[in-house]
Amino acid sequence: MNKKDIVNGLKDVLDGAIFGVGVSWPNLDYSGSRPFLEVSFPTVVRTGATLKGNQVVREIGRMMVIVVADLNEGEDTANDFADQVEALFVEGKTIAITGGNVVITAPPEIRGGFRDGPDWRVPVLIRYTATST
């Protein structure tokens, strides 16, 4: 199980959805229009069990999907997209990846929207645990 497979498995779920908006993936410039989704993977902790006598590796992490919409357009559009993202990552969802599985470990958290320059942003936090097989 490697980082690339974990991240790509999570990204594939979002990329496979039809939202009609662009996606800003990590470390790639985005020049499309609003609204769009901005994706990051801000927190990761890896644990191993070698000292316990097995080879299972776990990664406990978070995927952040921020809905970025135009400022002064109200919050309904951004909240609607946040709801759609939430519906993709229901608690218990299992994503098969090379060398393991990724499980969504909690309901996604839609955070309060906020102003950021010319944008209105609504974060959606997705918690996951990846486990090697």
Side-chain angles (χ1 to χ4, degrees):
M1 177 180 78
N2 62 48
K3 183 66 178 175
K4 176 181 78 174
D5 292 327
I6 295 167
V7 169
N8 286 340
L10 290 161
K11 288 171 27 179
D12 285 349
V13 172
L14 188 61
D15 199 31
I18 308 283
F19 286 133
V21 297
V23 179
S24 173
W25 300 110
N27 198 29
L28 292 174
D29 288 334
Y30 180 78
S31 60
S33 61
R34 290 177 189 86
F36 67 92
L37 306 176
E38 181 180 276
V39 178
S40 64
F41 297 87
T43 308
V44 173
V45 174
R46 280 222 176 192
T47 61
T50 301
L51 297 178
K52 294 179 183 175
N54 63 45
Q55 299 299 316
V56 175
V57 175
R58 283 191 174 76
E59 177 174 299
I60 301 166
R62 292 178 176 92
M63 176 182 184
M64 182 68 77
V65 179
I66 300 175
V67 180
V68 181
D70 286 318
L71 193 60
N72 295 319
E73 297 288 325
E75 57 187 342
D76 288 350
T77 298
N79 287 339
D80 287 344
F81 283 118
D83 286 336
Q84 291 178 49
V85 171
E86 177 188 36
L88 291 175
F89 294 96
V90 297
E91 182 178 14
K93 180 182 185 80
T94 300
I95 304 160
I97 61 169
T98 301
N101 291 297
V102 178
V103 177
I104 305 305
T105 57
E109 299 173 23
I110 299 176
R111 304 279 174 92
F114 62 93
R115 294 177 94 133
D116 182 26
D119 302 326
W120 180 255
R121 293 174 173 260
V122 176
V124 182
L125 179 66
I126 299 149
R127 298 174 191 272
Y128 69 86
T129 298
T131 306
S132 65
T133 51

